């Protein structure tokens, strides 16, 4: 008999609700119901339970919900010994001080990349990187790194996914990924976000597996394509030191 993953539907739905708050900090019942395709009455029952347990808080004036302190309480008990966001923070701060631009750390999460840490530039005009932001894997320097250094099996799974966009020239895209693997870094210039440029490198752990993507980004008024290539060796050196820690 084929093995089947056993799940509890109510738990799945409750977790789906909590994940809605990665898209917005405040949501109403109708918005949540639309996001997870559930009847409003079902969402209301689940929200009542989540509220009683402290995972969400309801604003009586707006009738909207936001995450509760119980979520924060859980996050404080995350293991710090192997948490990349904690381990790599000092190195990211040194990198920011050396290059003067915003430094971000990304993990791949399914078909997305998740920014788990960021150190903002100290300059008056800077690119602000929000921790917790979820971004697509098909555009941006860090995305290209995470795809380029993924296993062939993982790449194939991504490319065959119905949500993966059809590339105008798939051959050119594959050649780009090969070039990224050969030189060890990727760049982007106003690809995902107008006015922003970035360079990213993989962080490879001691087992030879890509654990994360490390990037430096800033405004195009201060960062040219030449600047990105000048930043790359510095970024690669920092990523190598971080990889030895995990």
């Amino acid at each position: 008999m084929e093995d089947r993953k056993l799940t509890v539907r109510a738990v799945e739905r409750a977790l789906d609700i909590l994940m809605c708050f990665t898209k917005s900090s405040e949501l109403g019942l109708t918005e949540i119901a639309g996001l997870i395709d559930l009847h409003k009455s079902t969402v209301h029952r689940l929200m009542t339970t989540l509220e009683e347990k402290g995972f969400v808080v309801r604003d009586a004036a707006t009738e909207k919900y936001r995450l509760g302190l119980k979520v924060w309480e859980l996050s404080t008990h995350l293991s710090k010994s192997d948490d990349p966001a904690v381990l790599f923070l000092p190195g990211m701060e040194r990198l920011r001080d050396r290059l003067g631009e915003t430094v971000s750390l990304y993990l791949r999460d399914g078909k997305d990349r998740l920014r788990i840490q960021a150190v903002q530039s100290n300059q008056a005009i800077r690119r602000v990187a929000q921790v917790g932001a979820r971004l697509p894997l098909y555009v941006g320097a860090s995305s290209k790194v995470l795809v380029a250094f993924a296993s062939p099996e993982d790449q194939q799974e991504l490319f065959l996914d119905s949500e993966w966009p059809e590339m105008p020239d798939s051959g050119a895209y594959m050649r780009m990924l090969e070039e990224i693997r050969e030189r060890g870094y990727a760049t982007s210039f106003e690809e995902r976000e107008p006015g922003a440029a970035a360079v990213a490198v993989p962080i490879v752990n001691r087992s030879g597996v890509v654990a994360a993507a490390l990037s430096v980004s800033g405004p195009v008024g201060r960062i040219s394509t030449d600047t990105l290539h000048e930043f790359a060796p510095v970024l690669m050196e920092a990523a190598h030191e971080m990889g030895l820690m995990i």
Side-chain angles (χ1 to χ4, degrees):
M1 180 182 293
E2 182 181 355
D3 290 337
R4 299 185 64 183
K5 186 185 296 183
L6 297 177
T7 60
V8 178
R9 190 64 180 137
V11 176
E12 284 186 338
R13 288 173 169 175
L15 292 174
D16 286 342
I17 286 174
L18 292 177
M19 289 304 297
C20 287
F21 290 93
T22 62
K23 305 178 187 300
S24 177
S25 59
E26 287 191 340
L27 293 166
L29 283 177
T30 302
E31 294 171 290
I32 296 170
L35 286 170
I36 60 176
D37 195 25
L38 279 180
H39 196 278
K40 190 174 176 180
S41 61
T42 302
V43 173
H44 181 264
R45 290 195 297 273
L46 291 166
M47 294 302 287
T48 299
T49 301
L50 289 170
E51 185 178 10
E52 288 176 354
K53 294 295 184 179
F55 286 93
V56 297
V57 176
R58 179 177 174 273
D59 188 317
T62 64
E63 296 189 349
K64 290 197 172 187
Y65 293 85
R66 63 181 185 274
L67 292 176
L69 291 178
K70 187 64 69 174
V71 175
W72 175 83
E73 183 182 344
L74 282 176
S75 71
T76 63
H77 292 282
L78 286 171
S79 172
K80 301 297 190 293
S81 61
D82 56 358
D83 183 356
V86 176
L87 283 176
F88 300 156
L89 182 58
M92 293 174 66
E93 291 173 337
R94 289 193 295 270
L95 196 58
R96 183 271 315 275
D97 294 341
R98 183 173 178 181
L99 299 179
E101 302 295 348
T102 296
V103 181
S104 298
L105 182 68
Y106 294 93
L107 296 182
R108 179 190 166 192
D109 184 19
K111 296 172 287 187
D112 302 317
R113 58 179 161 116
L114 184 66
R115 185 184 293 123
I116 64 166
Q117 185 61 279
V119 179
Q120 312 295 345
S121 168
N122 290 324
Q123 304 202 51
I125 300 175
R126 61 184 182 272
R127 181 173 180 272
V128 176
Q130 181 184 1
V131 174
R134 183 176 292 273
L135 304 167
L137 268 180
Y138 49 81
V139 66
S142 295
S143 290
K144 288 188 283 190
V145 160
L146 291 171
V147 174
F149 288 92
S151 69
E153 294 77 17
D154 284 347
Q155 288 183 352
Q156 188 72 0
E157 184 179 349
L158 283 171
F159 301 155
L160 293 177
D161 190 277
S162 60
E163 295 182 11
W164 189 265
E166 185 175 347
M167 299 295 171
D169 188 340
S170 58
Y173 180 74
M174 296 305 293
R175 287 193 296 274
M176 178 194 68
L177 295 181
E178 181 61 30
E179 290 173 4
I180 291 170
R181 286 192 292 271
E182 289 177 355
R183 69 186 182 188
Y185 66 93
T187 63
S188 64
F189 201 82
E190 295 191 294
E191 277 186 19
R192 187 188 63 83
E193 181 180 343
V199 56
V201 301
I203 297 177
V204 182
N205 64 23
R206 286 175 290 182
S207 300
V209 177
V210 173
L214 180 68
S215 78
V216 173
S217 60
V220 295
R222 195 165 58 236
I223 297 181
S224 66
T225 52
D226 288 339
T227 307
L228 295 176
H229 293 295
E230 291 168 4
F231 281 177
V234 180
L235 200 58
M236 292 169 72
E237 179 184 356
H240 175 70
E241 293 175 358
M242 293 176 183
L244 295 177
M245 301 170 65
I246 55 177

